Amino acid sequence: METNCTGEDRVLRVALTGEVDHHRARALMEGIDREIGLRLPRQVTLDLGGVTFMDSSGIAVLLRAYKRAAELGGTVTVRNVPEQAGKVLRAAGLERLLRFE
């Protein structure tokens, strides 16, 4: 699992690739937390286009990003959600908290 973080003007873009599962979730959350702490974004975009598998641990990753962004008065948008990951996220009802594109 890799993340690629870019951003400017208080916008953070995080592109995830590989599997988002219980083996990798903690490292992902810590990495995203670190980037949010450094950049203090008002908008966080999580691009899941490179995700090949997601289990329920992915829910925790997205909720953690949502919580951290909300602490700064920011929002989270999720893009390019693969079909399998979308099923997991919809089952959890995350579309009520996060904006999906």
Side-chain angles (χ1 to χ4, degrees), residues 43-46 62 66 75-81 94-101:
Q43 171 62 47
V44 176
T45 299
L46 301 174
L62 271 62
Y66 168 78
T75 61
V76 175
T77 300
V78 184
R79 288 191 173 148
N80 302 319
V81 181
L94 289 188
E95 69 277 357
R96 291 178 297 208
L97 294 175
L98 307 171
R99 184 172 150 216
F100 285 82
E101 293 181 344

Short mmCIF file of all heavy atoms in Angstrom, two decimals, residues 43-46 62 66 75-81 94-101:
data_model
loop_
_atom_site.label_atom_id
_atom_site.label_comp_id
_atom_site.label_asym_id
_atom_site.label_seq_id
_atom_site.Cartn_x
_atom_site.Cartn_y
_atom_site.Cartn_z
N GLN A 43 -9.47 21.31 2.78
CA GLN A 43 -10.08 20.30 1.91
C GLN A 43 -9.12 19.13 1.78
O GLN A 43 -7.96 19.32 1.45
CB GLN A 43 -10.38 20.88 0.52
CG GLN A 43 -10.79 19.87 -0.51
CD GLN A 43 -12.09 19.15 -0.15
OE1 GLN A 43 -13.06 19.78 0.24
NE2 GLN A 43 -12.09 17.84 -0.27
N VAL A 44 -9.63 17.93 2.07
CA VAL A 44 -8.86 16.71 1.89
C VAL A 44 -9.58 15.88 0.83
O VAL A 44 -10.77 15.63 0.93
CB VAL A 44 -8.75 15.89 3.20
CG1 VAL A 44 -8.02 14.58 2.96
CG2 VAL A 44 -8.06 16.71 4.28
N THR A 45 -8.84 15.48 -0.20
CA THR A 45 -9.39 14.61 -1.23
C THR A 45 -8.65 13.28 -1.17
O THR A 45 -7.43 13.24 -1.25
CB THR A 45 -9.22 15.22 -2.64
OG1 THR A 45 -9.92 16.46 -2.67
CG2 THR A 45 -9.78 14.31 -3.71
N LEU A 46 -9.41 12.21 -0.99
CA LEU A 46 -8.86 10.87 -0.97
C LEU A 46 -9.19 10.21 -2.30
O LEU A 46 -10.36 10.02 -2.62
CB LEU A 46 -9.45 10.06 0.18
CG LEU A 46 -9.23 10.63 1.58
CD1 LEU A 46 -10.00 9.82 2.61
CD2 LEU A 46 -7.75 10.66 1.92
N LEU A 62 -11.02 6.19 6.38
CA LEU A 62 -11.77 7.35 5.91
C LEU A 62 -12.37 8.15 7.05
O LEU A 62 -12.35 9.39 7.03
CB LEU A 62 -12.85 6.93 4.92
CG LEU A 62 -12.40 6.89 3.47
CD1 LEU A 62 -11.29 5.88 3.23
CD2 LEU A 62 -13.58 6.60 2.56
N TYR A 66 -11.74 12.04 8.05
CA TYR A 66 -12.89 12.93 8.24
C TYR A 66 -12.78 13.67 9.58
O TYR A 66 -12.96 14.89 9.66
CB TYR A 66 -14.19 12.12 8.17
CG TYR A 66 -15.40 12.86 8.62
CD1 TYR A 66 -16.02 13.80 7.79
CD2 TYR A 66 -15.95 12.64 9.87
CE1 TYR A 66 -17.15 14.49 8.20
CE2 TYR A 66 -17.07 13.33 10.29
CZ TYR A 66 -17.67 14.25 9.46
OH TYR A 66 -18.79 14.93 9.87
N THR A 75 -13.21 19.69 5.09
CA THR A 75 -14.09 18.66 4.55
C THR A 75 -13.26 17.59 3.85
O THR A 75 -12.10 17.81 3.51
CB THR A 75 -15.09 19.25 3.55
OG1 THR A 75 -14.37 19.84 2.47
CG2 THR A 75 -15.99 20.29 4.21
N VAL A 76 -13.91 16.45 3.59
CA VAL A 76 -13.26 15.35 2.89
C VAL A 76 -14.11 14.95 1.70
O VAL A 76 -15.33 14.82 1.80
CB VAL A 76 -13.07 14.12 3.81
CG1 VAL A 76 -12.51 12.93 3.04
CG2 VAL A 76 -12.16 14.47 4.98
N THR A 77 -13.44 14.77 0.55
CA THR A 77 -14.06 14.27 -0.65
C THR A 77 -13.35 12.97 -1.03
O THR A 77 -12.13 12.88 -0.93
CB THR A 77 -13.92 15.28 -1.81
OG1 THR A 77 -14.57 16.50 -1.42
CG2 THR A 77 -14.56 14.76 -3.09
N VAL A 78 -14.13 11.99 -1.46
CA VAL A 78 -13.57 10.70 -1.88
C VAL A 78 -13.84 10.55 -3.37
O VAL A 78 -14.97 10.72 -3.82
CB VAL A 78 -14.19 9.54 -1.08
CG1 VAL A 78 -13.55 8.22 -1.46
CG2 VAL A 78 -14.07 9.79 0.42
N ARG A 79 -12.77 10.23 -4.12
CA ARG A 79 -12.88 10.13 -5.58
C ARG A 79 -12.45 8.76 -6.08
O ARG A 79 -11.68 8.07 -5.43
CB ARG A 79 -11.95 11.12 -6.25
CG ARG A 79 -12.36 12.51 -6.16
CD ARG A 79 -11.51 13.34 -7.09
NE ARG A 79 -12.08 14.67 -7.09
CZ ARG A 79 -11.39 15.76 -7.23
NH1 ARG A 79 -10.10 15.70 -7.43
NH2 ARG A 79 -11.98 16.92 -7.20
N ASN A 80 -12.91 8.45 -7.28
CA ASN A 80 -12.46 7.26 -8.01
C ASN A 80 -12.55 5.99 -7.18
O ASN A 80 -11.60 5.23 -7.08
CB ASN A 80 -11.02 7.46 -8.52
CG ASN A 80 -10.90 8.67 -9.42
OD1 ASN A 80 -11.76 8.94 -10.24
ND2 ASN A 80 -9.84 9.43 -9.24
N VAL A 81 -13.71 5.77 -6.60
CA VAL A 81 -13.91 4.62 -5.73
C VAL A 81 -14.14 3.37 -6.57
O VAL A 81 -15.10 3.30 -7.33
CB VAL A 81 -15.10 4.85 -4.78
CG1 VAL A 81 -15.29 3.66 -3.86
CG2 VAL A 81 -14.91 6.13 -3.98
N LEU A 94 -21.20 5.71 4.70
CA LEU A 94 -20.29 6.85 4.73
C LEU A 94 -20.72 8.00 3.81
O LEU A 94 -20.25 9.12 3.99
CB LEU A 94 -18.86 6.42 4.38
CG LEU A 94 -18.16 5.59 5.45
CD1 LEU A 94 -16.70 5.39 5.07
CD2 LEU A 94 -18.24 6.24 6.80
N GLU A 95 -21.60 7.73 2.87
CA GLU A 95 -22.04 8.82 1.99
C GLU A 95 -22.82 9.88 2.75
O GLU A 95 -23.02 10.99 2.25
CB GLU A 95 -22.86 8.27 0.80
CG GLU A 95 -24.21 7.71 1.16
CD GLU A 95 -24.15 6.26 1.65
OE1 GLU A 95 -23.08 5.64 1.65
OE2 GLU A 95 -25.22 5.73 2.03
N ARG A 96 -23.23 9.58 3.98
CA ARG A 96 -23.90 10.59 4.81
C ARG A 96 -22.92 11.58 5.43
O ARG A 96 -23.30 12.68 5.80
CB ARG A 96 -24.70 9.91 5.91
CG ARG A 96 -25.91 9.14 5.36
CD ARG A 96 -26.63 8.46 6.45
NE ARG A 96 -25.73 7.47 7.06
CZ ARG A 96 -26.12 6.37 7.66
NH1 ARG A 96 -27.38 6.11 7.79
NH2 ARG A 96 -25.24 5.53 8.15
N LEU A 97 -21.64 11.19 5.53
CA LEU A 97 -20.62 12.06 6.12
C LEU A 97 -19.67 12.67 5.10
O LEU A 97 -19.22 13.79 5.28
CB LEU A 97 -19.77 11.28 7.13
CG LEU A 97 -20.44 10.77 8.37
CD1 LEU A 97 -19.48 9.92 9.18
CD2 LEU A 97 -20.97 11.92 9.21
N LEU A 98 -19.35 11.88 4.09
CA LEU A 98 -18.33 12.27 3.13
C LEU A 98 -18.95 12.51 1.77
O LEU A 98 -19.95 11.91 1.41
CB LEU A 98 -17.26 11.16 3.00
CG LEU A 98 -16.64 10.69 4.30
CD1 LEU A 98 -15.78 9.47 4.05
CD2 LEU A 98 -15.81 11.79 4.92
N ARG A 99 -18.30 13.37 1.01
CA ARG A 99 -18.76 13.63 -0.36
C ARG A 99 -18.03 12.66 -1.29
O ARG A 99 -16.80 12.56 -1.27
CB ARG A 99 -18.41 15.07 -0.73
CG ARG A 99 -18.91 15.46 -2.07
CD ARG A 99 -18.71 16.95 -2.27
NE ARG A 99 -18.52 17.17 -3.67
CZ ARG A 99 -17.72 18.05 -4.20
NH1 ARG A 99 -17.00 18.82 -3.41
NH2 ARG A 99 -17.62 18.18 -5.49
N PHE A 100 -18.78 11.94 -2.09
CA PHE A 100 -18.20 10.99 -3.04
C PHE A 100 -18.38 11.54 -4.45
O PHE A 100 -19.44 12.04 -4.81
CB PHE A 100 -18.90 9.63 -2.94
CG PHE A 100 -18.48 8.85 -1.73
CD1 PHE A 100 -19.05 9.09 -0.48
CD2 PHE A 100 -17.49 7.89 -1.83
CE1 PHE A 100 -18.66 8.38 0.63
CE2 PHE A 100 -17.09 7.17 -0.71
CZ PHE A 100 -17.68 7.42 0.52
N GLU A 101 -17.31 11.45 -5.24
CA GLU A 101 -17.36 11.89 -6.64
C GLU A 101 -17.03 10.72 -7.53
O GLU A 101 -16.24 9.88 -7.22
CB GLU A 101 -16.35 13.00 -6.88
CG GLU A 101 -16.68 14.27 -6.18
CD GLU A 101 -15.65 15.36 -6.46
OE1 GLU A 101 -14.56 15.07 -6.95
OE2 GLU A 101 -15.96 16.51 -6.15
#
